[in-house]
Amino acid sequence: MRLKVTPECARSVIYLSPTGRITVVSVNGAYYEWIIIVPGFTIGLAVGGMTVWQTYLIATAQTTIEYYGNSVEKTIAKRRGDVFFNEYDLGTSRNFKIFFNISGRRKWPSIFWPVPVPPMGSSFYLCSLRSVTSSC
């Protein structure tokens, strides 16, 4: 089935194949599969941005809400001439190890294995700079 766009846009023609594939063909013969390119790029950009953001939050041992609260606290401390630090930030490597529960015999490739592993510490005590224990 061949559909023309409009008389004003006669430079392009939209082809709809029997399988439902939509292809836009320009006068010079170049094929543009906009139905795949534009949504794919948009979704890739959104997912990539969220991945970068979540990786930053894991590296700094924060949640999104803590990030905004800590940024306010950091601004207040800067005005007073103090230095603000997140007490749960134990360094990038250790933050990732705590987040993915990597310790002892469990190594990095094991995060892809679907096996139950007991969590580090307990739900009452979190690893922080004040109380670094051997289980953290």
Side-chain angles (χ1 to χ4, degrees):
M1 173 186 247
R2 183 177 168 177
L3 303 170
K4 288 201 174 187
V5 180
T6 57
E8 304 88 49
C9 302
R11 292 180 168 222
S12 298
V13 178
I14 297 176
Y15 288 102
L16 179 62
S17 71
T19 60
R21 184 176 174 192
I22 298 173
T23 305
V24 179
V25 182
S26 68
V27 174
N28 64 3
Y31 288 88
Y32 300 100
E33 296 180 359
W34 293 108
I35 200 77
I36 301 296
I37 294 171
V38 173
F41 178 76
T42 305
I43 291 169
L45 191 64
V47 170
M50 289 178 66
T51 301
V52 168
W53 173 246
Q54 295 302 318
T55 303
Y56 169 76
L57 290 177
I58 293 170
T60 57
Q62 302 180 86
T63 63
T64 306
I65 295 171
E66 288 174 338
Y67 169 79
Y68 292 116
N70 289 344
S71 65
V72 169
E73 293 291 327
K74 192 180 292 185
T75 304
I76 292 170
K78 191 179 222 181
R79 285 183 191 157
R80 287 188 297 193
D82 294 337
V83 176
F84 173 81
F85 64 93
N86 180 6
E87 70 176 289
Y88 299 106
D89 186 3
L90 302 175
T92 304
S93 176
R94 193 143 187 211
N95 289 340
F96 273 99
K97 286 180 180 178
I98 290 171
F99 182 82
F100 288 112
N101 201 8
I102 305 295
S103 66
R105 294 178 11 198
R106 187 174 162 151
K107 303 297 179 201
W108 283 106
S110 67
I111 65 173
F112 301 109
W113 301 337
V115 293
V117 177
M120 290 180 171
S122 69
S123 59
F124 297 110
Y125 301 104
L126 298 174
C127 299
S128 69
L129 292 174
R130 291 183 190 172
S131 61
V132 176
T133 63
S134 60
S135 66
C136 291

